[in-house]
Amino acid sequence: MSFPRLNFLTIDRDNITKSLFPVVGLLLSFIVCGAILPFFNINPFSTYASIFGRAFGTMNGLSETIGAAVPSVIVAIGIVFVIRVGIFNLGAEGQVMFGALGAQIAAVAFGSAPAPVAILLTLLGGMAFGAFWAFIPAILRVTLKVNEIVVCIMLNQVAIYAIGFLVRKPLKDPNDFNAQAVIIPENAWMPQFIENTKIHFGLAIALALIVFIAWVIKRTVFGFRVNVVGASERTAVYAGIPAWRTILLTFVIGGAISGIAGANEVMGIAHRLQATVSGNYGWTGITVAMIAKNNPFMLIIVSVLYSALQVGGLVIQITQHVPMELANIVQAMTVLFVLSSDFLYGKYRQRIDGHAGQSAKPKGELV
Amino acid sequence: MSEIITGLFSSMFALCVPLLIAAEGEVFVERSGQFNMGIEGMMVLGAISGFAATLATGSTLLGFIAGGITGGLLAIAMFLLIYKLKLDLLVVAIVFNLLAAGVTGFLATLFINSSSIPVKCNKLTDLHIPFLSDLPIAGPILFSKNYMVYVAILSVPIIAHVLYKRKFGLELRAVGGNASAAQTMGIDVFKTRMKCFLIGGVSGGIAGAYLSLTLGMFVENMTMNKGFIALALCTFSKGKPYGTLAGALLFALADSIQIRFQPIDIDIPYEFLLMLPYVLTVVVLTISAKRSREERKYA
């Protein structure tokens, strides 16, 4: 039986070839979309040019791109971690929103503390609320075997309405016409690395999280248990690993990580809770995790490319009248291409080497 | 008071249709041992293609047909990716849902929301059955609905008949119960599953088309995760057609309560009313899971 592995710094032919797939997939979906766009009277070349011109061409755009990439990287790390235990955390979107809510509450409560303490407490607030929103599907799943996917999707919808209500009524800034919460105290703001940009301390948190989660999976007893449970729950129980507790804990940690992404938005970008705080980062993170799989470097690269698409997508809608949903179509198509190329590569290796290579999906690995 | 209750039950029958159609299609998928998470995407695309077809031809029937075809094509594509390319079912479903949301958003921005005047197509109209529609309470509740309500509800016994009394139903339940045993019996597992998945997709598309055709317009993200509620319905009724009908009516009642009380200025914020169907789904799933565990204990 093959174990799911974190391909962290393991270099062999398979891994190098496979790490090219996301780029190839993205190119392919650009080509396919580019072939379809002329039917809608849209010039693909100028559209793509303005997407990337906006996302990477100016300092302002670059700052937007990196600012948007940070939360999707954070969410994606959480997804990758929870997949290890055999669960797909589709509730990331709701957990991001609740993390933002927790950060708002904690920041208002502890904002008078000196900056490092306030930041830490605000982050913890976000983590706690994100973890709580993941605890519901997790506990239902481990005790009653309720399908966590449906519960997660339902809770996403509930979170949208809950946050909508909170920013409209109890948390609303009385001096503001729009439905949004009060601005959090400046002590809880993320310090900016470069003045007046969206490149802030959240970037460091995201990078640290990648290393931390890789370390947990690779080097700790808990990470080992997560891998065993993910490979086979029955084997884990047989080996004396408390499977249900491991699943519960992993799921809740995943929720806490999504909560960090939400807190990061409140503390670094908006400085207040808004109804649109999640910015679809939950779903972007999920797609990033599906493409980049276990490769931490790919996680960063794909996140940046996806955020560039989102940032550029906003611009093409305004300047070229091309709907910004084009970005989402390209993203989703990329996943299909990457996954299919995995399969085709496996077939190809089978023919060349007479064995399946790594194409045979290790048990317990969802993606 | 009686007016409110009549109104509640009257809209219950109209609102149960999309859930019912989607869930009855899902019965086939679930009974053949599969799980169609992509139903949300099929509903969204069914909604927009049903709207487009009705806008072009003026006929709601053609709208439903277009929605069904779209859902079916999507189902076949998903099925082939899952069984031929051996991709993970869940991953394919997520991608298709995201893709469907992207494509409908793209088309809606280009063609529907481009002008400030909302584009409208022919709406489904309520039938007026002579004599029956004029009955005091039963009239508005039961006998003045659009034709799809009757089609959806009358299809339940037909589905039950196919599922329990017909060769196809027997085969698909055999496949769902034990696929390798079914194969040994000479049943083509692949084909049976494909047919069931196709049925699920077509009904998902029709359910989506119903959403846009009752409104007479297409709104982005108008399915609001109703597809997943339909999945949950099918799960907790354990794939039984009549149980699914009861579940769909229950959810439609929650939905009609939500719609009825939203404009009235009561102390409950409208967001909590909107949450109702989703919270109910989680609660019902939890209760039914508990029950099934107890059933297993005494079995």
Side-chain angles (χ1 to χ4, degrees), chain A residues 87-91 133 136-138 140-141 145-158 251 283, chain B residues 26 30 35-40 90 94 224-236 251 277-286 288:
Chain A
I87 284 187
F88 217 118
N89 177 16
L90 291 190
W133 212 235
I136 302 170
L140 290 177
R141 151 80 203 237
K145 294 244 177 284
V146 179
N147 184 336
E148 76 279 0
I149 296 158
V150 176
V151 175
C152 276
I153 301 269
M154 296 298 126
L155 289 183
N156 284 346
Q157 200 73 35
V158 171
F251 207 153
W283 291 108
Chain B
E26 186 60 26
E30 184 145 323
F35 196 55
N36 178 15
M37 292 270 310
I39 194 161
E40 181 72 17
L90 184 52
I94 297 168
M224 303 283 267
N225 288 331
K226 279 207 172 63
F228 289 98
I229 295 185
L231 269 187
L233 271 179
C234 192
T235 309
F236 83 73
F251 273 83
Y278 304 96
V279 175
L280 187 67
T281 309
V282 175
V283 171
V284 164
L285 273 179
T286 310
S288 68

Side-chain angles (χ1 to χ4, degrees), chain A residues 37 40 42 88 90 136 140 143-147 149-151 153-158 161-162 164-166 168-169 283 286-287 290 317 321-326 328-330 332-333 335-336 339-340 343-344 361 365-367, chain B residues 35 37 81 84-88 90-92 94-96 98-99 101-107 109-111 220-221 224-225 228-229 231-232 235 269-272 274-275 277-279 281-282 285-287 289-290 292-293 296:
Chain A
L37 282 179
F40 296 100
I42 296 168
F88 217 118
L90 291 190
I136 302 170
L140 290 177
T143 55
L144 295 168
K145 294 244 177 284
V146 179
N147 184 336
I149 296 158
V150 176
V151 175
I153 301 269
M154 296 298 126
L155 289 183
N156 284 346
Q157 200 73 35
V158 171
Y161 294 134
F165 165 67
L166 289 170
R168 191 174 62 89
K169 277 280 162 66
W283 291 108
I286 287 170
T287 18
M290 287 197 287
Q317 174 136 354
H321 303 289
V322 180
M324 62 184 195
E325 283 84 3
L326 177 65
N328 304 34
I329 298 175
V330 172
M333 243 187 222
V335 183
L336 277 187
L339 295 178
S340 317
F343 172 80
L344 294 175
K361 201 166 55 171
E365 202 166 7
L366 265 171
V367 191
Chain B
F35 196 55
M37 292 270 310
L81 281 173
K84 286 288 176 193
L85 255 59
K86 307 269 187 296
L87 299 186
D88 188 87
L90 184 52
V91 173
V92 174
I94 297 168
V95 173
F96 268 69
L98 291 174
L99 201 59
V103 168
T104 49
F106 185 85
L107 294 174
T109 319
L110 264 191
F111 297 114
E220 253 179 79
N221 198 8
M224 303 283 267
N225 288 331
F228 289 98
I229 295 185
L231 269 187
T235 309
Y270 69 87
E271 284 94 346
F272 286 93
L274 284 170
M275 269 180 211
Y278 304 96
V279 175
T281 309
V282 175
L285 273 179
T286 310
I287 293 170
K290 202 170 168 196
S292 65
R293 206 164 73 144
R296 236 179 292 137

Side-chain angles (χ1 to χ4, degrees), chain B residues 122-198:
Chain B
N122 284 351
K123 265 207 283 197
L124 278 173
T125 45
D126 290 344
L127 302 176
H128 188 87
I129 307 165
F131 179 67
L132 285 177
S133 298
D134 303 323
L135 288 173
I137 292 172
I141 294 181
L142 291 176
F143 297 113
S144 52
K145 293 275 164 289
N146 60 62
Y147 64 89
M148 211 55 193
V149 175
Y150 303 109
V151 172
I153 291 177
L154 294 180
S155 71
V156 176
I158 299 172
I159 287 168
H161 177 76
V162 171
L163 202 59
Y164 294 115
K165 298 275 155 52
R166 289 280 160 166
K167 186 162 166 261
F168 175 61
L170 197 64
E171 280 182 0
L172 78 91
R173 283 187 295 132
V175 168
N178 187 338
S180 44
Q183 184 128 40
T184 318
M185 291 287 295
I187 301 172
D188 190 336
V189 174
F190 182 82
K191 250 191 197 157
T192 311
R193 287 204 160 146
M194 179 129 141
K195 278 181 204 156
C196 292
F197 211 79
L198 183 63

Side-chain angles (χ1 to χ4, degrees), chain A residues 69-363:
Chain A
V70 166
S72 24
V73 169
I74 296 176
V75 171
I77 301 163
I79 303 287
V80 166
F81 183 53
V82 182
I83 284 175
R84 299 262 113 196
V85 85
I87 284 187
F88 217 118
N89 177 16
L90 291 190
E93 186 76 8
Q95 291 148 18
V96 169
M97 298 189 103
F98 261 67
L101 170 65
Q104 171 79 26
I105 292 171
V108 171
F110 306 114
S112 51
V117 181
I119 289 174
L120 192 66
L121 287 173
T122 310
L123 272 177
L124 283 176
M127 286 171 74
F129 272 64
F132 165 68
W133 212 235
F135 178 76
I136 302 170
I139 193 79
L140 290 177
R141 151 80 203 237
V142 295
T143 55
L144 295 168
K145 294 244 177 284
V146 179
N147 184 336
E148 76 279 0
I149 296 158
V150 176
V151 175
C152 276
I153 301 269
M154 296 298 126
L155 289 183
N156 284 346
Q157 200 73 35
V158 171
I160 291 173
Y161 294 134
I163 302 292
F165 165 67
L166 289 170
V167 296
R168 191 174 62 89
K169 277 280 162 66
L171 297 177
K172 186 181 179 301
D173 185 353
N175 303 322
D176 202 316
F177 176 73
N178 294 318
Q180 45 189 3
V182 290
I183 291 200
I184 59 172
E186 229 168 291
N187 281 352
W189 292 16
M190 291 271 195
Q192 285 170 344
F193 284 142
I194 305 171
E195 279 298 304
N196 295 325
T197 61
K198 293 187 171 173
I199 303 169
H200 56 81
F201 189 63
L203 184 62
I205 295 178
L207 297 178
L209 261 177
I210 291 185
V211 177
F212 177 70
I213 293 297
W215 174 76
V216 167
I217 293 174
K218 263 263 185 207
R219 295 265 176 259
T220 64
V221 176
F222 179 67
F224 177 72
R225 288 180 166 182
V226 167
N227 280 333
V228 176
V229 174
S232 159
E233 230 176 291
R234 215 183 277 178
T235 313
V237 173
Y238 206 60
I241 295 172
W244 74 268
R245 222 186 302 160
T246 313
I247 293 176
L248 182 70
L249 198 56
T250 314
F251 207 153
V252 169
I253 292 173
I257 295 175
S258 302
I260 295 179
N264 169 78
E265 271 305 284
V266 169
M267 298 159 71
I269 311 274
H271 302 305
R272 57 169 29 150
L273 182 65
Q274 294 163 325
T276 54
V277 67
S278 87
N280 220 12
Y281 292 125
W283 291 108
T284 316
I286 287 170
T287 18
V288 169
M290 287 197 287
I291 295 186
K293 293 184 189 167
N294 303 320
N295 188 329
F297 301 114
M298 237 36 231
L299 216 65
I300 298 171
I301 292 169
V302 175
S303 283
V304 171
L305 286 175
Y306 268 30
S307 306
L309 276 172
Q310 294 286 2
V311 170
L314 281 171
V315 169
I316 52 169
Q317 174 136 354
I318 297 162
T319 60
Q320 313 223 355
H321 303 289
V322 180
M324 62 184 195
E325 283 84 3
L326 177 65
N328 304 34
I329 298 175
V330 172
Q331 288 174 352
M333 243 187 222
T334 308
V335 183
L336 277 187
F337 282 125
V338 172
L339 295 178
S340 317
S341 53
D342 262 2
F343 172 80
L344 294 175
Y345 179 68
K347 281 263 164 179
Y348 163 78
R349 283 297 299 274
Q350 217 167 2
R351 233 184 36 214
I352 300 290
D353 304 350
H355 71 82
Q358 285 192 349
S359 74
K361 201 166 55 171
K363 247 192 123 195

Side-chain angles (χ1 to χ4, degrees), chain B residues 263-277:
Chain B
I264 305 172
D265 194 26
I266 42 172
D267 287 339
I268 311 166
Y270 69 87
E271 284 94 346
F272 286 93
L273 292 170
L274 284 170
M275 269 180 211
L276 201 63

